[in-house]
Amino acid sequence: MLHIKCPHCGMRSQNEFSYGGDATVKRPELGKEISDQDWDNFVYNRKSLRGKHWEFWQHLSGCRQWIKVQRDTATHEIFKTLKANEEIS
Amino acid sequence: MIQSFRLESGGLINRDKKISFKFNGKNYYGYEGDTLASALIANGVHLIGRSFKYHRPRGFFGVGVDEPYAIVQLYRNGETEPNIKATEQELFEGLEAKSVNCWPSVNFDVGAINNFLKIFLPAGFYYKTFMWPKSFWYKIYEPFIRRAAGLGTASIKHDKERYEHKYEYCDVLITGSGPSGLASAYSAAKNGAKVILAEDKSRFGGTLLTSEVNIGNQSGKEWADSIISELKEMPNVTVKNRSQVFGYYDHNMLVMSERISDHLPKTKKFHPKQRLWYIRAKEVLISSGSIERPIVFGNNDTPGVMLSSAAKEYMKVYGVLVGKKPLVFTNNDSGYETAIEFKKNGINPIILDTRKEPQSEIIEEAKNMNINIKNSYVVVAAQGYKKVKSADIAKISDNKEELGSIENIECDCICVSGFWTPTIHLASQSGNKTKFNEDIDAFVPGISKQNEKTLGAANGIYTLEETLKDSFEKGNQISKEITNNDNKVSFPNVVEKKSTVHDKFWCVPLPKGKNYKRFLDFQNDVAVSDIEIALKEGYRSIEHVKRYTTLGMATDQGKTSNLNGLQLVSKIENKVVPAVGHTTFRPPYSPVSIGAIVGREVGKHSKPTRKSPMHSWHEKNNAVFVDAGVWLRPRYYKRGEENLFEASKREAKNVRTNVGVCDVTTLGKIDIKGPDAAELLNRVYTNAWLKLPVGKARYGVMLREDGIVMDDGTTTRISENHYHMTTTTAQAANVLSHLEYYLQLVWPELNVNVVSTTEQWAGAAIAGPKSREVLRKLFPKSDVTNEGLPFMGYMEGDLFGVKAKIFRISFSGELAYEVNVESDNGYFMWKKIIEVGEEFGIQPYGTEALSTLRIEMGHVAGSELDGRTIPYDNSLEGLLSKKKDFIGKRSLSRKAFAAEDRQKIVGVVPLDKKTSIPEGSHLVKDSNAPLPNPKLGYISASCWSVEHDNPFSLAILKDGKNMIGEKLFVMSPLKNKVIPVEIVSSHYVDPKGERVRS
Ligand SMILES: [Zn+2]
């Protein structure tokens, strides 16, 4: 079970969180023209990287905040966690 | 029975307390502090079971967790448990155990015929033989294998015992209380670190209990006892015996099973049988020691052949002799310690040492005691069937390939020592890159991935002094970094006998003309010849060899067999052992009861049960409940001898003709507040929300980004910046997370707060043509006329002194209202509705009638919004705003979603107007078409229409738009049904929607 540092609550076990996908994907702006390809990339296409990966998690059974977690997909090492409003650097 | 193999004195058992027990129906006695194994050996019982494949006789091989043979079926307090190691099971009064793998009995076993047919059971036998003919598998092979194999029988009774889970955090977790565990725990504790010290056995001390050493002028055991009692006094230390740390998981989480009651005749009141600890440790010190490995020789699985260290422990801890004419077969000095212990107890052992002229303090001591030592000697084969009777021994050449002439010597046990294998399982599980240590021919931990360090013998350090030094230091070092204390512990003076190098010899060659089975894996009956066959057949990877031969795949996970298997592969393949590599170690280190893993979450505790505030009323009024997620909802209210069908029909009919009331508390409710609330709804729902007036409700559908319908429900504008959203029962949690996702991550500029209020409100739906009459009586002060409270209107009301929210919304297609009050007032509200509704013929209705009503009016629900349908499929395309963007809108213009013959919801009526249509059935054009018959659609929901008094179903049908009036067939191969049907509109009741507005 992973041990994730919620930026709001501190170190908590994985079973308090739920996974929310790739945090580098930005939703296209509402009402903006977008090509089929770009839309497909947003909805479906993911890189499934091996290694460092920024992803969204929600502290579901805690503060309910969505956070950003940088995790190694191969080793599960967690390098950094950010609040929703903090930019990935 | 006399304990004829019990020593006059000695051991750590309590000879004042006799304990009676039964094995295979016979009565025996042992002492408090015995294991089942030590007590049986004391009674001269050596035949304990039969082997897995060949059903060869099995005795005892070890003395603890590494035991491959002595697995029994245990009976305790009216319960039975399989796969118990006799070497681990502590004796208690009234214990009963039986052999496994024996049919019909341990002394005469039919399966042993496999042994004489062993030519048919080589490696891969199961794969080769049971592959074909395929039809033989279920009828012949599998039942045969199942009867002949298996390590016991699981109980089919409900387990009455309680198992608990516990979560714990600590600075340092130490796994094992041998010298390295004690020393590191002590110095870490002295620095104030929060320490957990876990010991698998009942006694603390590990090898200190059996080795002739002196620490600070105390015996090993005395020193261990003093350290343990000091640790137990320290508030920052938790010391646990009978506790096996069996798994090392991510981020330094380890799992330990504590056997609290297994050693007692029955579990004490309010105690669990076992407790599973989830321990998150900052640092882990692995002090799991090492396991002696066997030397491979002919018939080395005969009862009486056992590890030399086990023989020593049986004497020193249990005061039990494993034999009276022992042969010690060794390639290192450890065997001498066992021989010396025999000698001290008046028994004359013979030592066969594979080494030519070894010299050390220990060997010198053995010589001085006049122990018979034969150098450059090996055991070629054990003789005897159910117990060792003699051994064929021979001199071996310096190159270890040629055997001299065979001599036969009498003996009743052969104690083998092939040196020591560090127990690296936990380190390996943690992701540690292990490395091969040439000096000890074994793998040791290498580069750590997590915060762990391995100490002492588990790290390949085999002298006490070095172990203690290293462990005191490591314990101090890692705790210092956590607590910033540096309390040095003074290092005690250590006296131990020096030993010399071992011989890398591990397998005795076969003498000419003999074809003895030489076993590597004692639990799975894997012999040298099996590995040879596997390699001959082209298996190379050690992982493949393992699976093909089942080497190391038994419940002991090859604790005594792995390395010898590797040695063999490396020898045949002419590779060094590290090039062969070892198989992956996986948790659990040792088997764990399923009960402990499940914990308290069994039966009704397997998930929470949520009940509405009106639950007790439903119970009193004969409700039959159904699980709706974690909620319990009334399915129907039974009257007299009614069944489900009759009751739900009556309830639904009453809604259509009079008035009914349904508990809708379970509906998800989300409170939405903030100046941008309307904007959020406008983006989340597919229809327009910006102009919804205060006091009005609107039906909405929300999509996922891929265009699939996620949920539907009504949302009401309570005040300017305050909305009350309802969701389906099933999607309530997902919808809240969905809203939070967009508010926090995508559109943080929206000033809105959302919070779940599902449990804050109790809800009742009042539906039917007479529902307004009921409402009038409930809220005499409110104007509930069609003008005062029109369709999709909202108002607050006073329900006999209780504040209520009144929504005019309908799920049934009838004139209907939903009344919400604070949960605490739910029961009161319900009682009042029933009371005032009586004169109008009100009846409560359950989920079955609720479904009937929604199906026949064509209102979609979970079975249509199943994660595969878009709005068009559900005839919800009228709710798609063309003017604004919303979540998932862009996906709807994808090609497949816009196809002309796209699937769509329709109604389905059987032509005979009688036959009920099974849900999940397929719709086809021609019921006799060759298979695979093209499927046009599927039945999503079925009911008995109370409006038309015939069966009616909803279906998602290809080109549904153009199929109305068509005749098709419903096919249910599962129910073996073919039903001719007509496709009709999905709105089977009041298609114009006049009733809800009346
Ligand atoms: Zn949090």
Side-chain angles (χ1 to χ4, degrees):
Chain A
M1 205 181 339
L2 306 187
H3 212 202
I4 301 171
K5 186 180 174 186
C6 171
H8 309 278
C9 310
M11 295 301 289
R12 299 298 181 97
S13 275
Q14 184 186 347
N15 51 3
E16 295 186 13
F17 294 83
S18 72
Y19 179 74
D22 190 334
T24 62
V25 175
K26 281 238 164 4
R27 193 197 189 279
E29 258 176 66
L30 279 173
K32 212 175 163 189
E33 284 272 307
I34 182 168
S35 71
D36 282 352
Q37 185 57 56
D38 286 348
W39 184 254
D40 281 355
N41 284 343
F42 160 64
V43 177
Y44 297 105
N45 299 331
R46 296 291 180 272
K47 287 204 184 86
S48 192
L49 290 173
R50 182 189 166 90
K52 280 189 181 181
H53 187 238
W54 276 103
E55 50 205 26
F56 289 128
W57 288 75
Q58 187 183 18
H59 194 189
L60 204 69
S61 311
C63 62
R64 294 203 64 91
Q65 293 301 301
W66 283 90
I67 61 170
K68 297 169 188 173
V69 176
Q70 191 186 34
R71 180 181 67 105
D72 189 306
T73 56
T75 65
H76 289 325
E77 188 179 348
I78 291 175
F79 305 97
K80 219 174 178 185
T81 55
L82 296 173
K83 293 178 185 172
N85 62 3
E86 290 174 323
E87 283 304 315
I88 297 167
S89 51
Chain B
M1 283 289 259
I2 311 156
Q3 299 181 42
S4 51
F5 285 81
R6 185 78 72 176
L7 293 166
E8 289 292 311
S9 61
L12 308 176
I13 46 170
N14 177 11
R15 288 172 191 259
D16 295 334
K17 196 158 175 213
K18 249 184 167 183
I19 290 181
S20 65
F21 68 102
K22 251 186 193 168
F23 180 66
N24 282 340
K26 258 192 179 161
N27 290 308
Y28 299 96
Y29 288 97
Y31 292 122
E32 188 179 69
D34 261 325
T35 60
L36 176 58
S38 66
L40 283 171
I41 297 173
N43 283 283
V45 178
H46 279 272
L47 181 61
I48 189 154
R50 292 280 173 163
S51 74
F52 191 66
K53 197 156 81 182
Y54 301 128
H55 286 229
R56 286 164 70 110
R58 284 292 179 252
F60 301 93
F61 193 70
V63 69
V65 67
D66 50 320
E67 176 62 37
Y69 294 157
I71 284 168
V72 297
Q73 184 85 22
L74 187 77
Y75 299 83
R76 171 183 175 270
N77 192 26
E79 301 285 337
T80 182
E81 210 178 327
N83 205 359
I84 298 293
K85 293 187 187 88
T87 53
E88 289 192 301
Q89 179 59 52
E90 292 171 60
L91 208 60
F92 55 77
E93 185 59 40
L95 179 150
E96 263 191 83
K98 281 185 186 157
S99 298
V100 295
N101 265 344
C102 312
W103 176 58
S105 84
V106 67
N107 272 300
F108 176 76
D109 182 303
V110 169
I113 210 149
N114 288 359
N115 188 24
F116 300 110
L117 298 175
K118 64 192 163 207
I119 190 159
F120 298 118
L121 287 165
F125 170 75
Y126 292 94
Y127 294 106
K128 288 170 190 158
T129 310
F130 296 137
M131 284 290 286
W132 49 264
K134 219 174 164 184
S135 59
F136 269 42
W137 176 254
Y138 296 107
K139 285 181 190 150
I140 295 169
Y141 296 144
E142 195 184 343
F144 168 77
I145 295 172
R146 289 213 182 277
R147 181 152 61 164
L151 298 168
T153 315
S155 171
I156 54 167
K157 281 200 296 184
H158 168 71
D159 189 348
K160 285 177 293 191
E161 298 279 357
R162 206 172 70 183
Y163 301 86
E164 282 181 353
H165 285 183
K166 181 179 166 78
Y167 289 80
E168 191 57 271
Y169 288 77
C170 69
D171 294 328
V172 190
L173 171 64
I174 297 160
T175 68
S177 74
S180 56
L182 290 175
S184 57
Y186 192 71
S187 55
K190 283 284 176 190
N191 276 345
K194 190 178 172 195
V195 172
I196 298 176
L197 174 63
E199 168 57 49
D200 179 34
K201 295 198 165 190
S202 61
R203 296 176 182 88
F204 295 99
T207 53
L208 291 172
L209 302 180
T210 56
S211 47
E212 292 291 324
V213 295
N214 194 292
I215 308 171
N217 291 326
Q218 287 175 301
S219 74
K221 182 179 181 302
E222 284 163 357
W223 183 78
D225 288 348
S226 66
I227 294 279
I228 282 291
S229 51
E230 203 174 325
L231 287 173
K232 278 182 176 166
E233 293 300 311
M234 297 169 80
N236 53 325
V237 181
T238 304
V239 173
K240 283 281 164 192
N241 61 339
R242 302 188 177 100
S243 296
Q244 167 73 256
V245 178
F246 65 80
Y248 200 134
Y249 300 88
D250 286 311
H251 294 185
N252 260 38
M253 196 191 75
L254 293 94
V255 184
M256 171 171 99
S257 90
E258 182 187 5
R259 303 181 305 277
I260 292 165
S261 310
D262 296 70
H263 64 292
L264 302 171
K266 70 189 252 201
T267 308
K268 283 186 208 151
K269 210 174 177 188
F270 306 124
H271 281 223
K273 183 160 185 264
Q274 295 178 3
R275 181 181 289 130
L276 212 64
W277 293 54
Y278 293 87
I279 303 170
R280 189 80 71 172
K282 284 192 186 129
E283 297 284 342
V284 177
L285 293 177
I286 298 168
S287 51
S288 45
S290 56
I291 292 173
E292 200 167 22
R293 59 179 179 258
I295 301 175
V296 179
F297 57 86
N299 300 331
N300 57 337
D301 65 329
T302 312
V305 177
M306 63 166 60
L307 293 173
S308 122
S309 57
K312 187 175 74 172
E313 192 167 330
Y314 281 117
M315 285 185 273
K316 293 210 74 158
V317 174
Y318 302 102
V320 166
L321 287 171
V322 298
K324 292 177 180 174
K325 274 187 230 156
L327 200 62
V328 176
F329 179 28
T330 188
N331 69 1
N332 70 96
D333 285 9
S334 299
Y336 287 77
E337 291 176 20
T338 304
I340 289 167
E341 192 61 32
F342 271 118
K343 188 78 182 181
K344 280 183 187 164
N345 285 301
I347 301 289
N348 282 317
I350 301 171
I351 297 177
L352 305 189
D353 191 330
T354 65
R355 296 172 295 183
K356 203 174 175 186
E357 294 167 326
Q359 279 182 350
S360 74
E361 273 182 74
I362 298 168
I363 296 171
E364 212 46 44
E365 187 184 348
K367 280 180 183 163
N368 291 340
M369 291 173 89
N370 288 322
I371 291 174
N372 185 355
I373 302 167
K374 287 169 170 293
N375 285 114
S376 295
Y377 255 90
V378 296
V379 174
V380 176
Q383 299 295 353
Y385 183 57
K386 289 178 190 167
K387 178 77 199 288
V388 172
K389 289 201 173 88
S390 67
D392 290 345
I393 64 170
K395 232 181 153 84
I396 192 157
S397 63
D398 289 354
N399 68 3
K400 309 283 181 195
E401 277 166 19
E402 308 298 324
L403 292 172
S405 56
I406 308 277
E407 306 156 42
N408 184 270
I409 55 170
E410 234 183 276
C411 61
D412 63 355
C413 66
I414 302 175
C415 308
V416 199
S417 179
F419 211 47
W420 296 87
T421 307
T423 305
I424 57 167
H425 297 66
L426 286 177
S428 170
Q429 287 174 21
S430 81
N432 187 297
K433 273 205 165 43
T434 58
K435 60 184 185 207
F436 193 72
N437 181 334
E438 293 284 346
D439 295 339
I440 60 168
D441 313 315
F443 287 92
V444 291
I447 303 159
S448 297
K449 189 185 127 186
Q450 303 199 39
N451 297 343
E452 50 82 18
K453 285 188 175 67
T454 302
L455 309 171
N459 198 24
I461 301 172
Y462 292 151
T463 71
L464 182 63
E465 187 163 8
E466 212 187 322
T467 291
L468 288 179
K469 242 185 195 142
D470 183 52
S471 305
F472 272 121
E473 198 184 298
K474 294 257 168 61
N476 176 58
Q477 207 183 353
I478 60 150
S479 55
K480 188 169 73 185
E481 275 162 36
I482 297 168
T483 64
N484 289 322
N485 294 327
D486 190 5
N487 300 319
K488 286 260 160 35
V489 176
S490 64
F491 185 73
N493 185 43
V494 175
V495 182
E496 64 185 312
K497 294 215 171 62
K498 301 274 177 304
S499 52
T500 183
V501 287
H502 79 291
D503 179 3
K504 297 197 171 184
F505 181 82
W506 66 277
C507 183
V508 180
L510 284 176
K512 280 194 185 70
K514 294 286 184 188
N515 200 20
Y516 298 122
K517 277 266 174 201
R518 293 171 297 168
F519 285 95
L520 289 168
D521 184 315
F522 303 105
Q523 200 174 86
N524 265 358
D525 283 6
V526 181
V528 170
S529 51
D530 294 314
I531 303 285
E532 288 169 348
I533 289 174
L535 292 165
K536 252 183 223 159
E537 290 183 1
Y539 289 89
R540 287 295 173 271
S541 153
I542 189 69
E543 294 281 358
H544 292 163
V545 171
K546 166 183 160 177
R547 280 159 184 79
Y548 194 57
T549 62
T550 72
L551 174 78
M553 282 172 68
T555 63
D556 67 339
Q557 285 195 43
K559 291 183 177 68
T560 50
S561 67
N562 266 335
L563 265 168
N564 285 340
L566 289 178
Q567 299 268 23
L568 179 60
V569 175
S570 85
K571 191 179 140 201
I572 300 173
E573 291 279 282
N574 203 15
K575 278 183 191 163
V576 289
V577 173
V580 176
H582 64 75
T583 53
T584 318
F585 293 107
R586 292 198 172 86
Y589 171 68
S590 186
V592 183
S593 341
I594 301 282
I597 292 167
V598 176
R600 304 280 323 257
E601 292 163 21
V602 288
K604 72 175 185 162
H605 298 297
S606 60
K607 57 180 180 7
T609 304
R610 295 173 81 180
K611 296 173 182 174
S612 90
M614 290 84 100
H615 189 82
S616 60
W617 190 94
H618 305 322
E619 270 179 331
K620 270 181 255 159
N621 288 274
N622 296 325
V624 177
F625 292 93
V626 61
D627 288 321
V630 293
W631 289 95
L632 270 184
R633 296 189 72 177
R635 191 171 185 193
Y636 63 100
Y637 299 81
K638 196 179 170 82
R639 283 192 180 174
E641 293 303 302
E642 275 179 345
N643 60 23
L644 165 69
F645 178 71
E646 292 155 354
S648 61
K649 217 161 108 177
R650 166 183 54 75
E651 290 169 9
K653 185 95 194 148
N654 190 57
V655 172
R656 294 266 181 253
T657 50
N658 293 311
V659 57
V661 58
C662 182
D663 186 345
V664 293
T665 300
T666 64
L667 278 186
K669 302 168 204 78
I670 297 171
D671 209 54
I672 303 176
K673 274 182 180 166
D676 296 321
E679 179 61 29
L680 173 72
L681 295 173
N682 209 43
R683 295 178 185 190
V684 166
Y685 281 128
T686 62
N687 48 347
W689 284 81
L690 297 179
K691 288 176 187 157
L692 180 72
V694 171
K696 279 283 187 186
R698 185 166 284 175
Y699 175 72
V701 171
M702 56 179 84
L703 308 186
R704 311 189 310 215
E705 289 288 15
D706 63 2
I708 299 289
V709 179
M710 180 176 177
D711 199 39
D712 70 340
T714 55
T715 293
T716 306
R717 192 166 196 177
I718 305 288
S719 66
E720 179 66 21
N721 293 327
H722 182 192
Y723 291 79
H724 174 86
M725 175 185 274
T726 65
T727 72
T728 58
T729 302
Q731 291 292 331
N734 288 347
V735 170
L736 183 65
S737 268
H738 180 73
L739 299 179
E740 287 165 334
Y741 179 94
Y742 284 92
L743 284 173
Q744 294 172 24
L745 296 173
V746 185
W747 304 310
E749 68 277 10
L750 294 185
N751 189 355
V752 184
N753 262 312
V754 293
V755 67
S756 166
T757 53
T758 300
E759 281 160 44
Q760 274 63 39
W761 299 102
I766 305 167
K770 296 181 184 164
S771 57
R772 186 176 290 125
E773 308 306 316
V774 176
L775 213 65
R776 226 173 240 144
K777 295 259 174 177
L778 275 180
F779 301 101
K781 289 178 234 156
S782 304
D783 175 11
V784 296
T785 58
N786 201 22
E787 295 69 41
L789 182 58
F791 181 54
M792 296 310 261
Y794 162 79
M795 62 164 59
E796 280 169 18
D798 177 4
L799 191 152
F800 300 97
V802 167
K803 240 174 81 180
K805 290 175 180 318
I806 314 164
F807 306 86
R808 186 169 162 193
I809 53 181
S810 176
F811 191 59
S812 55
E814 296 298 328
L815 168 67
Y817 303 87
E818 251 177 63
V819 182
N820 278 6
V821 294
E822 284 175 14
S823 290
D824 287 351
N825 298 323
Y827 189 85
F828 174 79
M829 165 185 71
W830 186 269
K831 287 268 282 192
K832 282 290 169 197
I833 293 170
I834 297 287
E835 206 178 290
V836 304
E838 206 184 342
E839 61 176 292
F840 308 105
I842 200 165
Q843 287 180 20
Y845 63 101
T847 56
E848 200 68 22
L850 185 79
S851 287
T852 296
L853 296 165
R854 77 96 185 163
I855 292 168
E856 65 175 359
M857 68 140 335
H859 189 118
V860 291
S863 46
E864 290 78 35
L865 311 181
D866 63 352
R868 296 183 295 181
T869 52
I870 59 170
Y872 175 87
D873 305 347
N874 295 300
S875 286
L876 297 169
E877 63 271 29
L879 287 168
L880 301 176
S881 165
K882 295 208 166 60
K883 289 185 195 142
K884 57 141 195 177
D885 198 359
F886 51 83
I887 292 171
K889 185 180 191 183
R890 179 65 180 79
S891 287
L892 297 178
S893 55
R894 299 178 79 231
K895 225 169 162 186
F897 287 176
E900 258 305 295
D901 61 350
R902 176 87 201 163
Q903 62 180 7
K904 199 169 190 50
I905 189 167
V906 294
V908 178
V909 179
L911 293 186
D912 69 359
K913 303 262 172 119
K914 271 188 221 141
T915 313
S916 288
I917 300 172
E919 290 177 346
S921 305
H922 290 185
L923 282 158
V924 299
K925 185 134 199 108
D926 174 5
S927 61
N928 291 315
L931 296 174
N933 193 341
K935 170 189 158 190
L936 301 176
Y938 57 94
I939 302 294
S940 61
S942 287
C943 73
W944 185 276
S945 165
V946 289
E947 180 92 3
H948 298 274
D949 204 25
N950 57 252
F952 176 74
S953 296
L954 293 175
I956 306 287
L957 180 63
K958 191 172 179 178
D959 198 20
K961 176 176 68 172
N962 297 313
M963 296 293 273
I964 308 296
E966 293 284 321
K967 306 263 193 312
L968 297 175
F969 292 92
V970 156
M971 292 188 78
S972 173
L974 271 180
K975 303 250 159 113
N976 202 16
K977 272 191 176 174
V978 177
I979 308 161
V981 295
E982 184 181 355
I983 304 304
V984 299
S985 158
S986 60
H987 301 295
Y988 203 41
V989 170
D990 188 24
K992 287 185 188 151
E994 285 162 348
R995 294 181 195 177
V996 294
R997 292 180 173 81
S998 62

